[in-house]
Amino acid sequence: MNPETGQTVAADQAVGMPQLDFSTFPNQIFWLVVALVAIWLILTRVALPRIGAVLAERRGAITNDIARAEALKLQAEEAGAAYDKALADARAKAQRIIEKTKAEMQEQLDIALQKADAEIAAKTAESERRLAAIRDSASAAVEEVARETARDVLAAFGAKADATTVDAAVASRIKEGAA
Amino acid sequence: MADGSGFNIKPMDQFLVKPLFGGDAVHWYTPTNVTLWMGLAVVAVSLLLVYTTRGRAIIPNRGQSVAELTYGFIYKMVEDVAGRDAVRFFPYIMTLFLFIMFANVLGLIPFAFTPTAHFAVTGVMALAVFISVTALGLILHGTAFLRLFWIDAAPLALRPVLAIIELISYFMRPVSHSIRLAGAMMAGHAVAKVFAGFAGALGVGAVVPIVAMTALYGLELLVALIQAYVFTVLTCVYLKDALHPHH
Amino acid sequence: MEGDLALLGKYIGVGLTTIGMGGAAIGVGNIAGNYLSGALRNPSAAAGQTAFLFIGIAFAEALGIFSFLVALLLMFAV
């Protein structure tokens, strides 16, 4: 360290802290006030209103967007409801058509069934009638055979019997047998 | 030191107020390095808040986002700390915050001058806050403002003692308010200067103080921002006392 | 030689004064640590209390800065 710098160190130390050099205070205070007033003017005249306006505008835009999104959502919900309604209508219509077709088919089926039933009944009646005729003729033949057989048996035994008595007896026996 | 032993470190030289255009006399109107760095702070404020927002975009770009974040940060702080009705003082608090922040941060540039490391500067700001807040409290609440010092929650016998303590602490406010900022700034810059002096004297070993300086600069940046924040928060706290002295 | 003795006393005084900053360091660490433990217990309430954290730190720190200031005054102004 050369003596010269040593000298300046001593000189500076004589000054001490520059913060306590009161001769510079008016200068600092004056320029501080100037700087603060300048910043205050910049802020209140330009910066703060501008930023505040931008922020308010953004808030407004966001609120608008949210409202619009709300409206769109409502519209979408309405469209969804309409779609659901159309779907339900179509379904109901289809149901009706199905029911109608079913009913028609049932009707036709019923008619066909009735026809078939009638035919079957007619055929059954016919068969029964024929069967009855056959049975009647058969039973008449049986009676006849019985009567004759009875007469022949009586004749063979030599017993005398008039025809009406034999007929009545045979008829009663046949009736008993039938019962 | 006077006999030439030890390091040739003059940590306080960076705080010297010097005329910009030569000469020795510092009159109140002389443009000095104080003028230069305060002017740069004003320029930085207009760059941050005016130049970046010139687009007034709904969807902000990077610069505008920073400006809006700063605005929102201080606005919310005033609202939260000082109350809803303190918002009308928002421009003043914003002015203080921006000036202190930029003076602090610009002062970190090597060979820069830090106006906020001077008691003259911080003292004027702290006194301005103190006087205006006290006047505001007296105008708004009259003598009821003095109930700030009369603590109803305390036992009656203790109240006069507490009132004296409260009064003293109230008048200590501007002192601590200004010395905190100036002291923190001065301390950081002086320590940085001392480390830098080590680096100059150690030759190859200068790596160690240079690494330390790098870490210190990170810390100093943090301190510069926090001190600006603290100054404004305390301003808001004092403002709240003036607006609502009954807590 | 007498001047050197005065200088010695001055430097010892400055060194002693800086001890005061240790107290501020303890205070600041206390505040930050308690804030952190509180914030970990109830993280949802932490964000609203950062302003009070910084106010507390500022008050504790101010006293350390006072002692630093006294050291500077002794060193450079006395």
Side-chain angles (χ1 to χ4, degrees):
Chain A
M1 222 137 294
N2 60 35
E4 202 180 4
T5 34
Q7 195 55 46
T8 53
V9 167
D12 285 343
Q13 279 188 349
V15 172
M17 283 171 71
Q19 280 89 344
L20 298 181
D21 184 358
F22 292 100
S23 65
T24 64
F25 272 31
N27 180 272
Q28 293 190 49
I29 292 168
F30 169 68
W31 290 112
L32 170 71
V33 171
V34 170
L36 285 181
V37 168
I39 292 177
W40 186 78
L41 284 176
I42 289 171
L43 288 185
T44 50
R45 292 286 174 276
V46 189
L48 296 186
R50 188 188 285 179
I51 295 176
V54 167
L55 289 180
E57 202 179 328
R58 178 169 317 140
R59 216 170 297 132
I62 288 172
T63 319
N64 279 347
D65 283 1
I66 286 173
R68 209 160 46 192
E70 206 74 30
L72 284 176
K73 198 180 150 207
L74 225 64
Q75 259 175 17
E77 270 169 6
E78 268 169 22
Y83 169 77
D84 280 349
K85 193 166 168 288
L87 202 66
D89 283 356
R91 212 170 264 155
K93 207 168 154 193
Q95 198 66 36
R96 268 206 307 280
I97 289 171
I98 288 170
E99 267 166 17
K100 204 171 142 199
T101 316
K102 227 186 230 169
E104 274 171 14
M105 277 165 74
Q106 192 67 42
E107 209 173 309
Q108 282 173 7
L109 198 66
D110 284 353
I111 292 169
L113 273 175
Q114 271 172 14
K115 222 166 151 189
D117 278 354
E119 268 171 28
I120 288 166
K123 272 190 187 150
T124 314
E126 173 79 1
S127 312
E128 271 175 3
R129 201 165 41 77
R130 236 187 269 164
L131 212 62
I134 291 168
R135 204 191 287 141
D136 284 355
S137 66
S139 58
V142 166
E143 229 178 281
E144 188 62 39
V145 169
R147 261 198 308 267
E148 275 172 22
T149 314
R151 249 175 248 148
D152 288 350
V153 168
L154 284 173
F157 281 115
K160 269 199 194 163
D162 70 292
T164 45
T165 323
V166 171
D167 285 356
V170 167
S172 75
R173 290 304 283 267
I174 284 169
K175 227 172 242 170
E176 269 171 39
Chain B
M1 280 240 252
D3 59 0
S5 67
F7 299 109
N8 181 19
I9 301 167
K10 294 169 281 181
M12 305 313 276
D13 271 14
Q14 56 182 320
F15 302 120
L16 281 175
V17 176
K18 283 172 275 188
L20 270 186
F21 307 111
D24 282 329
V26 180
H27 303 292
W28 63 269
Y29 52 84
T30 316
T32 54
N33 45 2
V34 180
T35 319
L36 173 66
W37 289 97
M38 284 182 180
L40 285 177
V42 175
V43 171
V45 168
S46 18
L47 274 183
L48 175 72
L49 288 189
V50 178
Y51 177 73
T52 54
T53 57
R54 71 199 180 285
R56 300 162 198 247
I58 288 280
I59 298 159
N61 55 15
R62 227 178 302 169
Q64 197 184 332
S65 297
V66 174
E68 285 170 8
L69 278 177
T70 316
Y71 180 97
F73 177 68
I74 301 300
Y75 194 90
K76 194 170 169 304
M77 187 187 77
V78 173
E79 213 175 9
D80 286 353
V81 177
R84 199 77 192 79
D85 48 349
V87 164
R88 61 200 152 119
F89 303 107
F90 169 62
Y92 303 98
I93 292 165
M94 189 80 173
T95 304
L96 278 181
F97 175 76
L98 287 172
F99 174 75
I100 295 169
M101 186 180 80
F102 278 112
N104 286 353
V105 171
L106 290 175
L108 283 175
I109 298 169
F111 302 110
F113 174 83
T114 319
T116 42
H118 277 265
F119 298 126
V121 172
T122 59
V124 166
M125 287 192 290
L127 269 179
V129 169
F130 177 77
I131 292 171
S132 50
V133 158
T134 310
L136 186 74
L138 286 175
I139 290 168
L140 283 183
H141 301 284
T143 47
F145 178 64
L146 297 176
R147 294 181 67 83
L148 187 65
F149 308 110
W150 194 253
I151 297 160
D152 291 329
L156 190 61
L158 272 178
R159 280 183 207 168
V161 184
L162 280 178
I164 291 169
I165 293 173
E166 285 283 318
L167 206 64
I168 291 172
S169 89
Y170 188 79
F171 281 100
M172 278 299 283
R173 274 177 178 184
V175 177
S176 70
H177 203 182
S178 61
I179 286 182
R180 179 181 302 112
L181 176 60
M185 285 300 107
M186 200 202 320
H189 286 80
V191 170
K193 189 66 183 281
V194 169
F195 273 110
F198 287 162
L202 286 180
V204 183
V207 177
V208 180
I210 287 173
V211 169
M213 278 280 285
T214 314
L216 189 73
Y217 249 80
L219 181 72
E220 279 309 307
L221 193 60
L222 187 73
V223 167
L225 296 175
I226 285 183
Q227 287 300 330
Y229 175 68
V230 161
F231 195 95
T232 27
V233 161
L234 286 176
T235 304
C236 290
V237 170
Y238 299 159
L239 190 60
K240 191 197 78 180
D241 278 349
L243 292 176
H244 314 281
H246 317 299
H247 298 284
Chain C
M1 210 47 202
E2 285 83 29
D4 283 352
L5 199 63
L7 212 59
L8 177 75
K10 175 173 154 182
Y11 286 157
I12 291 174
V14 171
L16 286 176
T17 317
T18 53
I19 295 173
M21 295 173 72
I26 294 171
V28 171
N30 225 336
I31 292 165
N34 281 330
Y35 170 78
L36 193 61
S37 69
L40 288 176
R41 274 171 210 274
N42 187 1
S44 56
Q49 306 301 319
T50 41
F52 294 103
L53 170 73
F54 283 115
I55 293 170
I57 285 181
F59 279 125
E61 185 192 34
L63 300 168
I65 289 174
F66 287 165
S67 96
F68 175 76
L69 186 74
V70 172
L72 280 180
L73 285 172
L74 282 179
M75 186 87 181
F76 296 109
V78 177

